[in-house]
Amino acid sequence: MAGETAGNGAERKEAGLDPADWDGFRAAAHGLLEACIDRLVAARDHPWQPVPEAVRAGYAIGEGGGLGDGAALADRLAREVLPYGTGNTHPRFFGWVHGTGLATGVMSEMVAATMNANCGGRDHGAVYMERAVIDWVRRVMGFPDTASGVLVGGTSQATVICLAAARVRALGPEVRRTGNGGARLVAYAGGGVHAATRKAMELLGLGSGNLVLIPETDAGIDVAALRTAIQSDRSAGAVPFAVVGTAGSVDLGRFDDLEALADLAADEAVWLHVDGAFGAWTRLADPPWQRLSDGIGRADSLACDFHKWMYVPYDCAIALIRDERLHRAAFAARPAYLEGAAEGVAGGDPWYCDYGVDLSRGNRALKVWTALQAYGAGAFGAAITGNCVLARYLGEQVSAAGDLGLVRRVVSNICVFTVAPDAEADLQGEINARVVLAMQMEGVAVCSTTRIDGIVVVRVAITNHRTRPEDIDFLLAAVRRIRDR
Ligand SMILES: *Cc1c(COP(=O)(O)O)cnc(C)c1O
């Protein structure tokens, strides 16, 4: 067998799981790289498009395979896969909260795939890179340098990790062995909290019924109401254990008053977790927007994404925890076969498997590190500020127009509006939904919808470094054209 022969792989000609023809592979890979770069250069020409039925059917995996790893494979990837993304690389993708991705991701993902590092632990480059990224986030967010962190797939996962550490603080590390027992742990959040927190409560066995939603105003959670709720639950025998503050709510881009929440959490001795999925990155923005997340560094834990407002390719997020001992106490579990060593491959500390659910983990840090090496944090701050400026501009245009209605004040990067302000609620919702769908189907723009005061409205979330002012004008013209016909 060729695999048993030490020596130059390039001379091997037998079929296996490495290219039999490295020169052919090299040529095909170069061609594919060209196709990928061409795609990004022309991102403006490629809005979302539905996957044709024939292409979808062609994705089915039959017995055969056998395309080889040369030109035929590269051609198939370029023609049948590459064009059918979510559309979020396009400058007028404003749906949900989607990052655009970065050209530097093409480089970092290529290197990451080549290294194939397992970042669960041990002593190698990718682990040091993850430490460097976590250290940078700590500084940006104002966490102490003793805080710990771990990169995960998204804010949803990061929320589970953060609340698991909060649970250890409330019930002690024995909770891992004994389960939650009889204590009724209660968490609190504003009404606009993301469903990720509800899911985390469910996964930790705490029950989403024990997530109490507090009314909010334009300035986020009503802090006085929160204090009353905590005190009355405690008198009734429950254990208030965490307050979840939101830095950038998913519907409206609102921010809780994190300074006030940090004061309250200290008074009441509860854990302050912040869901900063996208909004945490206002730390990098110009002052009017940066101020929105003031106080974030006082949280006990923070969950946020790199794949939204740091624009890096999916998926990448961080769980950051102020007290490293609680973080480790919630997750560390190494059987004998995983014991660390003072030196050698099994050296290195921390091992990231001690900070989260995953043992085997990919190299998520590299794409963040690469992007920051390329552009510097200042460029990200400028892009984030630019997105907020565009959302504000959209809000101003909508407000000034007689035929459109701004539904809520624009706080950061999200604008919600109606295209038929004078119609009654149901009809208004129907028109808004149909305009959004038509814009998607025609490749004009991707907005999404949400429901505010019971009415379906158009929602534009700008976490897109390719959007220009002309794109906002184009969007408004398209909205009117489609509504009027
Ligand atoms: C997107 C989002 C989440 C969930 O993050 P994922 O990365 O999608 O798991 C949580 N909270 C807020 C405010 C979000 O916008």
Side-chain angles (χ1 to χ4, degrees), residues 141-204:
M141 298 298 160
F143 271 58
D145 57 13
T146 50
S148 51
V150 64
L151 300 197
V152 293
T155 291
S156 304
Q157 284 186 38
T159 306
V160 176
I161 288 171
C162 293
L163 292 186
R167 182 177 62 163
V168 165
R169 183 164 96 176
L171 298 181
E174 319 79 77
V175 66
R176 293 175 61 179
R177 193 175 51 81
T178 61
N180 296 328
R184 187 164 80 85
L185 263 55
V186 181
Y188 303 82
V193 71
H194 190 276
T197 294
R198 208 165 293 126
K199 263 196 203 175
M201 291 290 284
E202 291 165 2
L203 286 167
L204 292 167

Side-chain angles (χ1 to χ4, degrees), residues 97 153-157 194 196 246 248-250 275 277-278 305 307-308:
V97 183
T155 291
S156 304
Q157 284 186 38
H194 190 276
T246 294
S249 69
V250 70
D275 177 345
F278 59 95
D305 286 317
H307 57 217
K308 287 177 179 168

